Each structure stands twice: as structure tokens, then as C-alpha cells.
Amino acid sequence: MISIHRYLIHTIIIILLQVLIINNIQVNPLINPYIYILIILVLPFKINKTSLIFIGFLFGLIVDIFSDTYGLHAAATTLLAYVRPNLINLAYTKDSFEDGSYPSIRLMGFLMFILYIFLGTFVHHFSFFLLEVFSFNSFHITITKILLNSVLSSICIILYYLIGFKHKR
Amino acid sequence: MNDLIKILFRLQRFIIFIILELICLYLLIQNNNIHRSSFLSSSNYVSGVLYDFKTNVSNFLDLKSTNKLLLEENTRLKNKLLLFKTNIVDTSLSHRSFKYRSANVINISVNRTKNYITIDKGSKDGIKPEMAVLSHDGIVGLVINVRSHFSTVLPIINPTFSISAKIKRNNFFGSLSWNNKSYREAVLKEIPFHAKVNIGDTIVTSGYSSIFPKEIKIGTISNFQHQDGDNFLDINVKLIVDFKQLKTVYIVENLNKEEIKTLENETTND
């Protein structure tokens, strides 16, 4: 169970981390991981599916404002929020959810959690990088970007999760 | 009718999803226009203030190297001043055609498909769209969006940017744009294949524009090739401005721009 203000604090930390630090680490033109989608991935199981889409859209729009990309992040996060229930069905097979429980290593198991994070990241990055170039020219570069960054973002997201989302025992 | 409403209700999640995606696509496509709507750009106040803070911190850490650069520029200018010491009549203010203003870079991207720069001067400081932006080395880009305290700049490293450029040694001119890959390289097109070109030649602005001053450095030729049957050379240019190091820029206003524009319009209307 995560209270709503803990979600808000994590949201602010992650957005600042993304726009002020990660977007400025420019090792290689191919590499730019996006970790802010973690917030959408760890919202509670029982959240209303329609409001989830709106949250995804708003969240992407905030990142857009900071990175001058006008709807690019928003399009990708809206898609992620739309398919999230299907991803959860895939990775977490139990029928009933406790109130306020959220996708976590404790509930899903380590492997299933990694699979869930990777699939979510892949959906987001796939739509994001395709929309960014807006064409199928030089598709091999785009697909390299998608795969490379999906792996990298997943690793960063799981690291942040392990540090930031310790549950109380 | 009832069935229709039921179906719509069952599909509400999908419909909302589609509507939101269409809004995103609309924003995205509008963004392709150079004079795009600026209400979501990073020249808006909140993100402007945040980036300003970030720049203050990083500028403080770079004070030493900035000081060194300024000193070097100062010495260079002082040396030039000596040459003009003999002038008695000061015509520099009444006859000048370009006005320079300085600004700090507060946000820049270099490895996106479309890169932009945000600077900390806006309409309150007299900045207008379509003013040239230079660094102390050479051309940076062009102001596109202006708010009261901040503006966005379209740099050379954006696919929509192109500029008329010439080879300084022999005055052949062509159009220069980004190669869409590395932030250090651009391509120069429309140079005929009989032009004598050497690696290392300097590329400067041609001055055939009411925006950019004449003979400002853009970069040097890093390599070139001529494909059989093509009338033009493919020239790769190494840009002189290192966008990763960019901290301060000069915004250049052409004071004769209106006059040039009116004159050109009158001529084409005849």
C-alpha cells in the first residue's frame, strides 16, 4: 500500500530526475533512457481503467512541456496506460487483488516483475521512437534505439524501484 | 438506440484512448511547423524558471572556463580596437546595420531528432522571431518562439533548419543543413562539381539573407565526394560551434531588415 502523497513525491522526484539529469547525459546519440514511466507502471491494481488513461496522458504532457516535444511523450504514455491492464493480466495471474496493492516484486515474483517492466517499457519506447522519427526510413536505426533503450530503461527503472519503493515490514 | 448507447458505453475506454491519441498527434503535427503554437514550449514560465535555476548552478561551476573565453575575446577585440584608433568620426552607431544582444543558454538538446535551445532573453529585451543567433565561434541558429522572458532557438542541428552558405576561398555558394545524425556535422549541397574544394576549407554565411550577417563562420569541410552523373558535390561540414559546450550566445538583429523586405516585395510584385 502506497499512500497518495508518496506517489506524488515519487512523481516529482522522477520527473526532476528525468528532465534535469537523465536527459542531459548524452553518451551516444542512440542512448536516452526514459524512467518516468515507472510511475504509471506501479499505480495500484484496482485503479479505474479510464482514469488511468487520463493519468498517463497528463503525465506524458508534463514531460513534453519540459522537453519541447509536444505530444510525443503523451502519445506514448497514453498507449502504455491503455495496455497496462492487459500487461498485468499477462504477468500476474491471480484473480483477486487486495485493496491498494500495486505491482511489486513481493506480489509478482522477481522474474514476472522484470518481464512486466520490460514489456511496459518496450510498448512505450516502440511508439515513442517511431513517432519521434515519424517515418519508416532508416528503420534499423529506430529499432536499435528501441531495443537498446528498452533494456537500459528497464534496468534503471528496476534500480530506482529497488531503492525508492522499499515496503515496510 | 439503447443498444447503440450500450455499445458506446462498453467501448468508452477505447474511445477516450483514441481521442487522447488524436490530441497528441495533432500537437505533434503542428510541431512540424516552424511557427508552431508556443503554449506548450519550454519558453513558458514554469519550466523556464526551473531551467534557469539549473543553468545558474552549472554556470557557476563553469565560471573559470567562461572567464578564460571572455578574456581571450577581450584581448582579440582590444587588438582590433588599436587598428581603429586613428578614426576621428565615429560612424559605428549611425551607420551600423546589425545590433548585438547577449543571452545565456538555459536549456539545450543535442541528441534528439529535433533539437531546440532555450535562452533567457525574450520580448522584454527586444528579441523578435527570425533573429540570428551566434556564439563567439560562429552560427548557432535562429530565434523562432518568443515569450516575455524566454525564447526558443532553432539551431543548425534541427532538420527544419537550412542556411545559405559559401566556401570562403572561392565564393561558391550552396545550402547547408544538418545531417540528422551527429551534432558536430552538417551537409553542404548545391556546390557544382567543377568547384575546387579542399578538405579543411572554411564555410561561412553567404550574406544572401536578411537574417544572418555576412561571412560568419559555420564550419570546415571534413570530407566530400562526387557521385558519377551528379552535377553537385556531397560535402560534409564539421560545425565550428560545439553545441554541448554552448553557454552564452549573441542575438543579432538586422536593422535594415524591413527595408530589404519591402524592397524585395515591391520588385516581385512588379
Side-chain angles (χ1 to χ4, degrees), chain A residues 20 23-24 26 29 31 49-50 53-54 57 65-72 74-75 78-79 82 132 134, chain B residues 13-14 16-17 20-21 24 27-28 31 36 40-42 44 47 50-51 54 110-113 152 244:
Chain A
L20 293 184
N23 284 356
N24 290 308
Q26 284 143 349
I31 296 175
K49 287 175 182 173
T50 317
I53 297 179
F54 279 108
F57 175 73
I65 291 172
F66 282 114
S67 39
D68 266 338
T69 41
Y70 312 92
L72 193 60
T78 313
L79 177 71
Y82 180 72
E132 190 185 30
F134 220 75
Chain B
R13 204 163 75 86
F14 184 69
I16 288 172
F17 167 67
L20 289 181
E21 287 288 359
C24 296
L27 287 173
L28 204 62
N31 166 31
R36 64 229 145 95
L40 281 182
S41 82
S42 72
N44 77 34
S47 57
L50 186 68
Y51 280 129
K54 182 189 99 182
V110 298
N111 59 358
R112 298 265 167 71
T113 318
T152 12
K244 262 190 194 172

Side-chain angles (χ1 to χ4, degrees), chain A residues 9-102:
Chain A
I9 292 170
H10 275 302
T11 309
I12 294 169
I13 293 176
I14 282 192
I15 290 184
L16 290 181
L17 203 65
Q18 180 72 52
V19 299
L20 293 184
I21 297 175
I22 295 184
N23 284 356
N24 290 308
I25 303 177
Q26 284 143 349
V27 193
N28 184 308
L30 290 177
I31 296 175
N32 198 350
Y34 293 100
I35 66 155
Y36 68 95
I37 48 179
L38 170 66
I39 289 295
I40 297 166
L41 289 172
V42 298
L43 285 172
F45 285 122
K46 275 199 167 172
I47 193 165
N48 181 306
K49 287 175 182 173
T50 317
S51 54
L52 183 65
I53 297 179
F54 279 108
I55 292 175
F57 175 73
L58 273 180
F59 205 63
L61 211 58
I62 294 172
V63 180
D64 274 332
I65 291 172
F66 282 114
S67 39
D68 266 338
T69 41
Y70 312 92
L72 193 60
H73 285 284
T77 49
T78 313
L79 177 71
L80 175 65
Y82 180 72
V83 300
R84 198 192 90 136
N86 307 55
L87 293 178
I88 285 179
N89 284 342
L90 203 75
Y92 186 63
T93 37
K94 281 180 197 157
D95 295 332
S96 60
F97 306 116
E98 281 175 48
D99 271 343
S101 63
Y102 63 96

